[in-house]
Amino acid sequence: MAGDFSAIEGASLCLLPERLDTAAAPALKALLEQSKAQAEGGVLQLDATQVTYVGGLCLQILLASQCSFVGVSEAVREAYGLFGVNAYLTAPCAVLEKKA
Amino acid sequence: MSDSMDEILLVFFQECDEQLQELERGLSALEGGETDHDTINAIFRAVHSIKGGAASFGLENLVRFAHIFETSLDALRSGRVQPTHDVIKILLKAMDVLSDLVTEAKGGAGVDAARVAESQTSLETLHAKEDAPDSADSLIPADFEPVAFDFTPVPIDFEPVPVSFDFGDEPTTEGGDGADTALPIQVTFCPHKALYERGDDARNLLIGLRDLAADAQGEAEIRCDVSHLPVLTEIEASEPCLSWCVVLPATVSEDSIHAVFDWVSDVCDITISRGTGSGPDDGGGAGKPQPEHSTPEDAVEPETDVNGVVAPEVEPVAAVGSPASFSAPLVVTEVQPPKIEPAGVKVNLAAPPAVSGQKGERGAVKKRVEQASIRVDLQRVDELMDLVGELVIAQATLETVGLQHDANSEQEMARRINSMRTLTRDIQNAVMAVRAQPVGSVFQRMQRVVREACSLAHKDVALVVEGEDTEVDRTLVEKLSDPLTHMLRNAVDHGVEAPEARLAAGKLEQGRILLSASHRSGRILITIQDDGAGINQARVLEIAVKRGIVAPDATLSEDEINNLIFAPGFSTASSVSDLSGRGVGMDVVKQAILGLGGRISITSVPGKGTTFCLSLPLTLAVLDGMLVMVAGTTMVVPVSSVVETLMVHKRDMYTMPDGRVVISIRGVCMPLLVLATELGLQEAKGYSIPEKAVILVVESETGARVALVVEDIKDQAQVVIKSMEKNYRQIPGVSAATILGDGSVSLILDVPALVASTTERADGRLAEPASGIAA
Amino acid sequence: MTTQQEIRVLTVDDSPTIQIMLRKALEEAGYNVIQGCDGVEGLEKLQEAAPPPAVIITDINMPRLDGFGLIEAVRKQEAYKHIPILVLTTESDPEKKQRARQAGATGWIVKPFSAEALVAAIRRVTA
């Protein structure tokens, strides 16, 4: 299992809240968008060490953000395994770029 | 373990009793024409709750019957059956059977199977009309094991019936029927937004599938389809866009997979197919707008592969944590007293004083268990708590004042003690309120008593209940049951005439008994009034003479004749009927009422009916008394019976030819009773009423008034009642004794008895000598 | 493994018997139990609970406000609408089930229940 996470030099860091359940999805989206905006095009990394729960809706937001982790909790590791997205723990996910 | 089971069982039986009352109330209302939705719903709920609880304890008989009952009620609820008189009759019968089954479950008398079957059949006819009778056993799972009534075999998890989380009511076996079960099974699903709106989550379904694989000693291969995932800015936080493909071992049954998705089948697209999980072509794909590629590998298309990284091989996820590792620990800890937050709190009361030996040993044991706890309105307990808080404060201030020794301290002390007195009284009232219970619970039971008495006596009598909200001390409520039962049986048997006789007398065929309760001058008054023929006095007298209860030549007043039915060994029925002839006469009823500090009186109007009046104290513990001086001793007259106190001049008293003295107060004449001589504390001879006498006008429940002459009125105080009978013996004219603040013993006068003895004397007969005190 | 100590469960049932059984089963499994005797009290307890319960278990047939009403009310409140709600009932009528689904129930447990099945059901929606 790929378990090495490393901080990228000069990257901005975003600490994820503990519970990423259905109710937390809108806030997570807002948080990530804002953090990305603050990074001003730079690399944004996620600190998922405090996370205790990841639900389906938050999972897709995390995947869509295409951010890498600087660290994950056991709960996140378990969740990614359960959701069948282990691979994206270490490698960002590809997304559909729609032309608006 | 068995202790905690017993405890829960107790709660259950207590609930059963409440639900049965609710049922009784509801059916009575229905009978009275209240056919609204709420009434019927309440009835339904009562039976439903009993069924639910009974099922948890494996009380098979009870569950079976309750289920059929419930089905009939459901037909009523949905309007498929109308609440006609006949239907209600069937329901009432069923209620009685249900109640008996509850008693049986408690370990009481077994229920006659034929009776249950009969009621069951008539219930079934109610709902048989509509759809094929849903089998009575359908509720009871195949492995439902009858559990013995001692409940010990019930295992830790309360009940013997394993129940699956999802109840597969609509098995949808699309595809795969004839498929080769040797092939792995592939499940593709795509949750809708509504699935999350129901508080569910895709991960819950994945866990369900993963557990299935674990149960089959295999692993679930889970792959996520991210092909519809937009960029962050375009993603809708509440709109799911992922779907999953899970490959399960071949041994996993499709039914078990359907069970996982059963609940969400309407908010999730699911495809289940047999085949290999490795190829992208064999799966049905998610039901949503079909992704061109249903596996992550394929989803990584060159043009969207921003980082130029090809998604790595997805690792199959091992099933982690079988359900067993999550299940409840098998360690049984001491069960705490049941805490019920809703509605009320439970307060354990000391068991009431042992009932006299009337009951069999077993009955007595049962009774004790049943009475171990009561439900109390939380607010009442809070009030009590508040008062106790104030008491603590009052005590503290009293201590402070006690330490001061200045001029004001004495006065201050008196003031404090005074407020303490108020507080004590409030606390006493609050405790009384905690113990108080509406008589309704007993009254409800009486409906059945009357119903059964009617069917035995072949009479039709409606019992009308009034004032069931009247509250009395709990011990009284319990003890009222037996006397009331007997009196009502008596009323049906002897009071109300046979239907033919009623019609002949120009009355309605259906008789009517009114059972009412009310508060009156600090006591509770219960009346049982029938609209029958009244007491046949000639016949009563004849029997009394025949049985040697009165002398053949005695001349008795109407009242006295009526009261003969309370004489030991009296029974008017020419044959011992099924009903009242159970070896208990009205004399036992009278004794029971007297034992409760109550009185019973009877009035009867020929052709119109008979009324029994029971007057009982609200509590058996405390009363407000007026302390009076009689022949140098202090006596207590219950304040509730004192109408007024006044000074009367000798010139307002008149001596009658027979030597009795009456006084006139504001134009109303009443007999004068000198307490000292009446109680034998002073020789009547040579006693002369003083010029100015202190008079207490007292009244009995019947409204008769007597003026009592006392030496002085000392005080008014609350006194604690101590039974004379228990500690000494019964004394006419004295109801009980008490201990005063100075430690001396004082007698509490039985005013109604005094009034009655005076009235009797007025009728020209000798009163019972009330002279036991001086002895 | 997360400890269950801080996981709150709100149970709503008008039967004291069922309530005691639920409390016993859940407390033995390490849950923190809050109880309401009908829909109305259930909603009150929900508002009072801080933090809010992780799951609600409710009966269907109850006075004042029944299970359907309770579920609908919870689903309407922003703060609580995502809380999983399990229906615990003796009912097995498909119509009732459909109503519960539409109201927004997360699952359906049939009484009589076993402590294990109950805990498994809760774990499934809260794990």
Side-chain angles (χ1 to χ4, degrees):
Chain A
M1 167 94 47
D4 318 311
F5 300 98
S6 54
I8 296 171
E9 192 87 17
S12 313
L13 205 60
C14 175
L15 179 69
L16 298 178
E18 287 183 30
R19 275 197 75 82
L20 297 178
D21 53 15
T22 303
L28 177 66
K29 178 179 183 307
L31 173 73
L32 294 185
E33 277 181 333
Q34 197 191 358
S35 303
K36 276 201 157 183
Q38 277 170 359
E40 289 171 339
V43 184
L44 178 68
Q45 284 196 295
L46 306 180
D47 177 353
T49 52
Q50 307 297 309
V51 177
T52 58
Y53 179 97
V54 184
L57 291 181
C58 282
L59 174 78
Q60 63 188 26
I61 291 168
L62 289 177
L63 293 180
S65 76
Q66 297 181 300
C67 294
S68 60
F69 294 108
V70 286
V72 297
S73 63
E74 196 50 41
V76 171
R77 204 184 283 278
E78 268 181 30
Y80 269 56
L82 177 66
F83 282 118
V85 290
N86 256 331
Y88 306 129
L89 271 177
T90 45
C93 172
V95 295
L96 287 174
E97 291 250 42
K98 279 185 197 156
K99 308 286 173 260
Chain B
M1 184 64 223
S2 83
D3 274 0
S4 69
M5 273 310 292
D6 281 354
E7 215 166 314
I8 299 177
L9 249 181
L10 267 184
V11 174
F12 169 61
F13 287 138
Q14 200 176 359
E15 185 193 346
C16 279
D17 290 343
E18 280 161 26
Q19 297 293 359
L20 284 170
Q21 277 176 36
E22 198 61 47
L23 180 60
E24 175 105 50
R25 204 171 303 145
L27 287 175
S28 299
L30 198 63
E31 211 174 9
E34 291 173 40
T35 56
D36 57 295
H37 199 66
D38 284 351
T39 306
I40 295 176
N41 246 338
I43 295 171
F44 179 85
R45 256 200 324 271
V47 177
H48 184 82
S49 292
I50 292 175
K51 184 181 91 172
S56 306
F57 290 103
L59 300 172
E60 196 189 9
N61 287 348
L62 198 52
V63 176
R64 232 173 257 278
F65 188 79
H67 179 66
I68 295 166
F69 198 172
E70 187 189 1
T71 312
S72 297
L73 289 171
D74 195 42
L76 187 72
R77 186 164 69 156
S78 61
R80 286 169 300 201
V81 170
Q82 290 307 309
T84 61
H85 187 65
D86 288 341
V87 168
I88 293 171
K89 238 180 178 166
I90 291 174
L91 296 179
L92 284 168
K93 259 223 171 97
M95 174 182 73
D96 293 346
V97 172
L98 188 68
S99 152
D100 286 349
L101 285 168
V102 168
T103 312
E104 182 186 76
K106 280 181 198 171
V111 185
D112 180 17
R115 209 160 70 86
V116 178
E118 185 199 320
S119 180
Q120 207 160 305
T121 313
S122 42
L123 280 176
E124 273 160 359
T125 57
L126 288 188
H127 58 264
K129 298 165 205 160
E130 28 119 11
D131 54 47
D134 122 86
S135 160
D137 302 324
S138 66
L139 171 101
I140 299 158
D143 57 346
F144 187 97
E145 276 177 35
V147 177
F149 288 132
D150 57 6
F151 303 110
T152 36
V154 180
I156 175 142
D157 48 332
F158 304 120
E159 51 80 50
V161 193
V163 180
S164 70
F165 172 57
D166 277 301
F167 195 88
D169 57 335
E170 49 232 305
T172 46
T173 346
E174 38 185 285
D177 261 32
D180 187 352
T181 48
L183 289 172
I185 197 159
Q186 180 173 306
V187 183
T188 314
F189 71 94
C190 173
H192 300 177
K193 189 178 175 181
L195 182 137
Y196 287 95
E197 284 171 351
R198 278 189 199 162
D200 213 337
D201 202 298
R203 66 175 284 145
N204 300 339
L205 298 168
L206 288 167
I207 291 172
L209 293 175
R210 195 183 63 183
D211 289 350
L212 286 182
D215 288 347
Q217 319 290 319
E219 288 179 358
E221 191 188 331
I222 301 172
R223 281 175 291 169
C224 178
D225 176 4
V226 295
S227 60
H228 283 77
L229 192 66
V231 289
L232 183 65
T233 47
E234 280 168 23
I235 206 165
E236 178 65 56
S238 59
E239 191 68 62
C241 47
L242 299 175
S243 57
W244 280 268
C245 175
V246 181
V247 180
L248 297 168
T251 45
V252 171
S253 79
E254 284 181 35
D255 283 353
S256 63
I257 297 170
H258 280 296
V260 169
F261 287 97
D262 169 52
W263 190 255
V264 295
S265 57
D266 57 336
V267 286
C268 183
D269 297 316
I270 312 133
T271 319
I272 302 173
S273 59
R274 288 273 174 192
T276 161
S278 53
D281 313 306
D282 48 347
K288 242 198 159 177
Q290 194 57 46
E292 280 171 26
H293 311 280
S294 52
T295 56
E297 292 96 313
D298 296 309
V300 187
E301 289 170 42
E303 66 268 29
T304 59
D305 189 0
V306 185
N307 300 309
V309 180
V310 172
E313 200 55 40
V314 176
E315 290 175 42
V317 181
V320 196
S322 71
S325 63
F326 297 143
S327 59
L330 279 168
V331 182
V332 182
T333 47
E334 194 66 36
V335 168
Q336 294 127 18
K339 292 169 260 180
I340 310 181
E341 285 170 24
V345 294
K346 307 198 79 194
V347 174
N348 285 313
L349 292 179
V355 210
S356 60
Q358 293 174 344
K359 300 227 165 254
E361 217 172 332
R362 202 178 67 142
V365 168
K366 209 73 212 170
K367 198 129 198 150
R368 190 191 65 75
V369 172
E370 281 167 34
Q371 292 180 352
S373 67
I374 56 168
R375 292 181 106 186
V376 182
D377 191 349
L378 196 53
Q379 202 190 335
R380 293 188 175 180
V381 177
D382 288 345
E383 278 166 17
L384 186 57
M385 205 53 225
D386 286 349
L387 287 170
V388 170
E390 282 182 46
L391 183 66
V392 173
I393 296 166
Q395 181 206 334
T397 53
L398 202 55
E399 276 167 4
T400 317
V401 175
L403 292 174
Q404 294 166 354
H405 296 288
D406 54 48
N408 289 333
S409 65
E410 204 165 306
Q411 205 182 347
E412 184 62 16
M413 184 72 109
R415 211 169 61 78
R416 296 289 180 195
I417 289 174
N418 208 15
S419 64
M420 195 96 152
R421 184 179 299 145
T422 318
L423 206 50
T424 312
R425 183 168 292 240
D426 288 347
I427 289 176
Q428 187 195 321
N429 287 339
V431 174
M432 288 273 295
V434 165
R435 290 182 53 97
Q437 244 191 349
V439 289
S441 56
V442 179
F443 279 19
Q444 290 291 344
R445 267 179 260 161
M446 295 305 134
Q447 290 286 2
R448 175 173 187 183
V449 168
V450 169
R451 222 169 22 248
E452 287 182 344
C454 281
S455 79
L456 276 171
H458 304 292
K459 288 178 183 174
D460 188 8
V461 181
L463 177 68
V464 180
V465 172
E466 278 176 11
E468 57 264 62
D469 294 335
T470 311
E471 290 194 330
V472 281
D473 194 83
R474 174 183 160 74
T475 46
L476 261 174
V477 172
E478 287 304 317
K479 288 178 177 176
L480 271 175
S481 180
D482 285 352
L484 284 183
T485 301
H486 193 77
M487 291 175 77
L488 282 166
R489 281 187 184 147
N490 190 73
V492 171
D493 214 20
H494 304 305
V496 178
E497 316 92 318
E500 313 82 58
R502 290 186 62 89
L503 287 173
K507 295 181 184 180
L508 286 173
E509 191 178 346
Q510 189 186 46
R512 182 175 184 271
I513 297 175
L514 173 72
L515 176 61
S516 73
S518 59
H519 282 292
R520 186 156 148 200
S521 54
R523 290 174 78 86
I524 176 173
L525 202 65
I526 294 174
T527 60
I528 297 168
Q529 184 179 7
D530 68 54
D531 66 346
I535 290 175
N536 183 339
Q537 298 196 332
R539 186 151 164 65
V540 166
L541 193 56
E542 184 193 322
I543 289 168
V545 169
K546 202 161 76 189
R547 310 240 157 130
I549 295 166
V550 290
D553 55 346
T555 35
L556 300 176
S557 70
E558 282 188 12
D559 228 28
E560 282 163 339
I561 296 174
N562 288 345
N563 276 295
L564 283 175
I565 66 167
F566 292 120
F570 183 91
S571 170
T572 47
S574 29
S575 69
V576 175
S577 75
D578 271 337
L579 283 183
S580 19
R582 287 185 182 167
V584 221
M586 289 298 276
D587 60 319
V588 175
V589 172
K590 185 171 185 177
Q591 287 311 313
I593 300 298
L594 287 179
L596 297 175
R599 276 175 297 279
I600 185 165
S601 66
I602 178 171
T603 52
S604 177
V605 181
K608 295 266 191 225
T610 309
T611 305
F612 287 92
C613 265
L614 305 183
S615 154
L616 295 151
L618 284 180
T619 171
L620 305 173
V622 181
L623 67 75
D624 275 306
M626 194 171 276
L627 307 187
V628 297
M629 291 302 291
V630 179
T633 58
T634 309
M635 298 218 164
V636 181
V637 180
V639 169
S640 60
S641 56
V642 177
V643 181
E644 60 180 323
T645 57
L646 59 160
M647 295 279 275
V648 180
H649 281 277
K650 203 167 183 179
R651 60 172 184 270
D652 292 326
M653 305 173 187
Y654 309 97
T655 307
M656 307 297 281
D658 62 357
R660 288 182 305 118
V661 181
V662 298
I663 61 162
S664 163
I665 299 167
R666 292 184 293 274
V668 179
C669 277
M670 63 189 75
L672 194 72
L673 207 62
V674 180
L675 264 181
T677 56
E678 180 66 25
L679 297 172
L681 295 171
Q682 197 151 38
E683 285 291 315
K685 250 182 274 172
Y687 177 83
S688 68
I689 298 170
E691 252 344 282
K692 274 180 119 184
V694 179
I695 304 279
L696 255 59
V697 177
V698 295
E699 186 182 51
S700 74
E701 279 75 33
T702 55
R705 290 184 178 192
V706 167
L708 299 178
V709 179
V710 299
E711 278 153 36
D712 194 11
I713 296 173
K714 278 175 69 180
D715 197 4
Q716 193 171 319
Q718 287 210 315
V719 296
V720 178
I721 299 171
K722 302 280 179 193
S723 168
M724 284 290 281
E725 286 143 76
K726 238 186 261 166
N727 300 310
Y728 179 49
R729 63 179 169 89
Q730 208 183 338
I731 300 171
V734 173
S735 61
T738 188
I739 296 163
L740 298 177
D742 61 3
S744 65
V745 174
S746 175
L747 300 176
I748 301 169
L749 296 178
D750 185 356
V751 171
L754 289 170
V755 172
S757 76
T758 317
T759 331
E760 269 171 41
R761 209 171 312 170
D763 292 337
R765 288 183 77 243
L766 274 175
E768 263 178 67
S771 54
I773 296 169
Chain C
M1 177 117 5
T2 54
T3 60
Q4 294 180 347
Q5 206 53 53
E6 66 269 33
I7 297 185
R8 286 175 164 235
V9 181
L10 169 64
T11 69
V12 187
D13 199 309
D14 60 332
S15 159
T17 314
I18 299 293
Q19 287 285 43
I20 287 192
M21 294 177 119
L22 282 171
R23 177 178 284 278
K24 190 173 175 314
L26 294 176
E27 283 182 351
E28 264 177 24
Y31 291 100
N32 179 342
V33 184
I34 325 165
Q35 303 191 303
C37 69
D38 59 30
V40 176
E41 202 183 85
L43 287 174
E44 282 167 14
K45 297 281 177 185
L46 179 63
Q47 310 281 2
E48 286 167 19
V55 60
I56 299 171
I57 296 173
T58 182
D59 189 17
I60 290 290
N61 287 292
M62 294 183 289
R64 296 209 285 176
L65 180 66
D66 66 12
F68 302 127
L70 172 73
I71 297 169
E72 279 162 10
V74 172
R75 290 285 176 250
K76 275 193 194 114
Q77 299 183 55
E78 192 55 44
Y80 307 115
K81 69 179 185 189
H82 297 299
I83 298 178
I85 306 176
L86 301 175
V87 173
L88 177 66
T89 177
T90 50
E91 298 270 5
S92 55
D93 180 2
E95 254 174 63
K96 294 260 169 64
K97 284 187 161 192
Q98 196 46 39
R99 261 195 79 187
R101 278 195 187 97
Q102 279 159 4
T106 318
W108 183 277
I109 311 170
V110 181
K111 285 183 203 167
F113 60 91
S114 74
E116 278 149 23
L118 179 75
V119 171
I122 293 174
R123 286 207 59 94
R124 223 197 86 177
V125 294
T126 56

